[in-house]
Amino acid sequence: MGILGDIGHFIMVPLYYVISAVLLAWHWFFGLFLDPEGGLSWALSIIGLTLVIRAALIPLFVKQIKSSRNMQLIQPKVRELQKKYGHDRQKLAEETMKLYKDAGTNPFASCLPILLQMPIFFALFRMISQATKTDTSHGFLTVAKAHEFGDSLIFDRLPIKGTFWMDRVWAPGGGDALVMIVAAVLVLAMTATTFTTQRQLMAKNMPADALSGPYAQQQKMLLYILPVAFGLGGVAFPIGVLLYWTTSNLWTMGQQFYVIRNNPAPGTPAFKAKQDRDKAKAAKHPEKYASYEPVADTAVIEEAERRPAKRQQPSRQSRAQRKSGKPGTGSKPNQGGTK
């Protein structure tokens, strides 16, 4: 099998058991009021599986948001390092990594949830593919259940294993046209949600300073590359897998919308919008928000703190004050005492 095959087997086998356990639990639940052998119960089970997985990844999503926000806020410092050490690439790399470490972030943290989902995605893909082609069972999915899963039809017409490029008529009265239409809709939904999620982040939750430089260029490339990659690859995925990925994207889009709206990064359009909403609430319900003070933009505060403080000039004194020698006036006290 080889070392790569052994590593893949070591990773995939536990995933088969976890995925199949969650999938069968949802299938049992939906089987209480739907046809257990029908495709609808299996399709809803895939959606339920997706929700469980995404809920489990919430801590990683929070970490991703914090890391991405820190990356945005340190972009001006990154550009300063590039100007200072542009002639020395090794020194620039060392200082940049030191800056990332001090800020508690790295440029790859935003990809972590996607990377962690890929093994789950491939495990589900193999479960559906092998269940349909060879009745192969994985994890807690028995051979009988694998056969039932693979051959199930949603609404008695749409095969859960159908793909956009399928070359067989699976259901009476249905056929390839229906499968192609549904698969195309799901692929478009998958690409549209991917694009919208990334665009939402760049348009509303990135400071103006972060919209230029290498990090911004990387984000702009991902804005177009990821939807195209998912769109091209999606035409080969079974409908069951497309259901998983589209549901996952919808979760990501909604989750990110909630975070941007309620906890935006400082110095961004979303932060300004939240300040305006808070002020409007305080004006509309003054008795409820009597002690309300708008949250200051920390980006402005940090900029003010970086500026050198103005030197306090001594106040001018009259001639009589200088002669009196009173404490606190800036002149020496009368050494001779009061006559």
Side-chain angles (χ1 to χ4, degrees), residues 42-165:
W42 284 109
L44 292 175
S45 300
I46 292 174
I47 294 175
L49 168 68
T50 311
L51 299 180
V52 171
I53 292 173
R54 292 313 308 267
L57 292 177
I58 285 178
L60 288 176
F61 178 80
V62 173
K63 185 176 181 180
Q64 172 200 3
I65 288 292
K66 291 181 179 179
S67 179
S68 178
R69 178 175 298 179
N70 290 338
M71 282 292 298
Q72 296 167 16
L73 296 178
I74 66 173
Q75 286 310 298
K77 295 182 180 180
V78 172
R79 285 194 290 274
E80 290 177 5
L81 292 177
Q82 290 171 346
K83 292 178 181 178
K84 186 176 181 180
Y85 301 107
H87 60 284
D88 189 345
R89 305 192 70 173
Q90 182 177 354
K91 182 66 175 177
L92 175 61
E94 291 175 356
E95 292 297 324
T96 304
M97 292 307 297
K98 182 181 178 182
L99 179 62
Y100 288 157
K101 184 178 180 181
D102 293 340
T105 186
N106 67 79
F108 304 105
S110 59
C111 301
L112 189 60
I114 295 178
L115 293 176
L116 288 178
Q117 280 193 86
M118 292 311 293
I120 301 172
F121 176 78
F122 285 120
L124 181 63
F125 178 83
R126 290 195 65 186
M127 284 180 62
I128 295 177
S129 178
Q130 294 187 6
T132 58
K133 294 178 180 178
T134 61
D135 291 340
T136 303
S137 60
H138 290 286
F140 296 108
L141 202 66
T142 62
V143 175
K145 281 294 182 183
H147 179 78
E148 177 187 310
F149 181 35
D151 288 343
S152 60
L153 300 174
I154 303 174
F155 300 120
D156 296 326
R157 297 185 63 184
L158 188 66
I160 204 168
K161 63 184 177 183
T163 66
F164 184 83
W165 296 120

Side-chain angles (χ1 to χ4, degrees), residues 162-166 176 179-181 183-184 187 234-239 242:
T163 66
F164 184 83
W165 296 120
M166 64 181 300
D176 294 354
V179 174
M180 291 180 70
I181 291 172
V187 169
V235 295
F237 296 151
I239 286 175
L242 292 176

Side-chain angles (χ1 to χ4, degrees), residues 173-193:
D176 294 354
L178 178 62
V179 174
M180 291 180 70
I181 291 172
V182 173
V185 169
L186 288 174
V187 169
L188 290 175
M190 183 174 65
T191 55
T193 49

Side-chain angles (χ1 to χ4, degrees), residues 313-333:
Q313 299 293 332
S315 58
R316 298 186 64 179
Q317 298 176 334
S318 66
R319 187 174 180 181
Q321 287 176 326
R322 290 196 299 270
K323 285 184 176 182
S324 65
K326 293 180 180 180
T329 61
S331 60
K332 293 181 180 181

Side-chain angles (χ1 to χ4, degrees), residues 185-313:
V185 169
L186 288 174
V187 169
L188 290 175
M190 183 174 65
T191 55
T193 49
T194 302
F195 179 85
T196 303
T197 301
Q198 190 67 17
R199 178 65 180 168
Q200 182 187 50
L201 177 65
M202 295 182 64
K204 295 185 178 181
N205 207 40
M206 290 185 71
D209 290 343
L211 294 176
S212 60
Y215 180 73
Q217 294 301 319
Q218 175 190 358
Q219 295 296 313
K220 290 177 182 177
M221 288 178 61
L222 291 176
L223 177 64
Y224 297 100
I225 291 176
L226 286 180
V228 172
F230 289 142
L232 294 176
V235 295
F237 296 151
I239 286 175
V241 175
L242 292 176
L243 280 173
Y244 168 84
W245 202 250
T246 303
T247 305
S248 180
N249 281 1
L250 288 171
W251 175 289
T252 301
M253 188 170 66
Q255 189 172 241
Q256 183 171 276
F257 175 81
Y258 177 83
V259 171
I260 291 176
R261 179 177 174 82
N262 295 281
N263 191 22
T268 63
F271 191 93
K272 179 65 168 56
K274 186 176 187 303
Q275 285 183 319
D276 293 340
R277 290 195 307 271
D278 291 342
K279 290 178 181 178
K281 290 179 181 178
K284 189 175 181 180
H285 304 283
E287 70 286 349
K288 185 177 181 181
Y289 297 92
S291 60
Y292 167 76
E293 292 184 3
V295 180
D297 191 331
T298 56
V300 176
I301 295 175
E302 290 176 358
E303 178 64 24
E305 290 176 347
R306 285 196 294 267
R307 296 174 183 171
K310 292 184 178 180
R311 183 177 178 181
Q312 183 70 29
Q313 299 293 332

